[in-house]
Amino acid sequence: MAHLRTQIFDAILARLSAIPEFAGDGKVKRARTSAIRESLLPALTVTWAEHQETAELRPCAGPNGEDGYDRRLPIDVIAHFKAEEPDIEFDRIAVLVETVLGHAIKLDGLVIEMTLSESRAFVDRATGIALGAGALTFVAEYKTLAADPDTAAH
């Protein structure tokens, strides 16, 4: 079985890929390893590379008294696009993403809750020109057993 973190990412990717505009092959990916072809725009990348997951010990989290962890995982949904009005395009995409993930706060029981914590548009600081990308950061709160990170704890 996969780490619960991977299961969470898979559930998010499935929901985002179900948005008609992002249903094509390569339109939604986790942690891209190459540049996005312009023909795929708009596209979404889901990652946690900009943040770190934190964990705190939770005694007696399992059915037999096993210890576990309360985890907090920040997840960026990065929107890549090309538009004359970048702020308006980012907001349009944000509505699609927030609507889909807002209806899945518990991700079918994988998390306690997943909520939006921040949004930001990317701009070249030297020129002030929009870079055609923005990010919505969601935070997934979940629990695992300490010795079995693919299993949700109580």
Side-chain angles (χ1 to χ4, degrees):
M1 189 103 196
H3 194 291
L4 195 52
R5 181 175 45 241
T6 294
Q7 296 173 55
I8 291 166
F9 272 100
D10 289 347
I12 292 169
L13 293 170
R15 281 168 176 77
L16 294 175
S17 296
I19 300 170
E21 187 169 352
F22 298 104
D25 189 37
K27 299 275 279 179
V28 177
K29 288 194 71 152
R30 180 178 176 187
R32 293 180 187 274
T33 57
S34 61
I36 302 168
R37 292 189 324 264
E38 190 172 333
S39 62
L40 287 178
L41 296 178
L44 301 172
T45 302
V46 183
T47 184
W48 60 304
E50 290 291 315
H51 307 282
Q52 65 181 3
E53 180 182 58
T54 58
E56 292 183 19
L57 185 64
R58 171 178 278 278
C60 300
N64 299 311
E66 306 95 328
D67 286 343
Y69 292 114
D70 289 339
R71 296 177 182 252
R72 187 173 193 273
L73 175 63
I75 300 166
D76 281 332
V77 178
I78 302 169
H80 312 270
F81 51 88
K82 183 177 179 180
E84 290 295 319
E85 304 268 347
D87 286 349
I88 292 170
E89 180 66 359
F90 176 63
D91 281 347
R92 185 188 72 77
I93 293 170
V95 167
L96 298 172
V97 171
E98 289 180 45
T99 299
V100 167
L101 295 183
H103 280 94
I105 288 177
K106 295 190 181 282
L107 282 181
D108 301 325
L110 292 172
V111 301
I112 297 164
E113 69 177 359
M114 184 179 69
T115 55
L116 180 67
S117 70
E118 67 181 32
S119 300
R120 63 195 178 281
F122 298 126
V123 176
D124 182 315
R125 291 179 192 232
T127 65
I129 295 174
L131 298 176
L136 298 108
T137 302
F138 292 84
V139 176
E141 306 271 351
Y142 70 107
K143 303 172 193 285
T144 62
L145 294 178
D148 192 3
D150 66 346
T151 302
H154 305 298

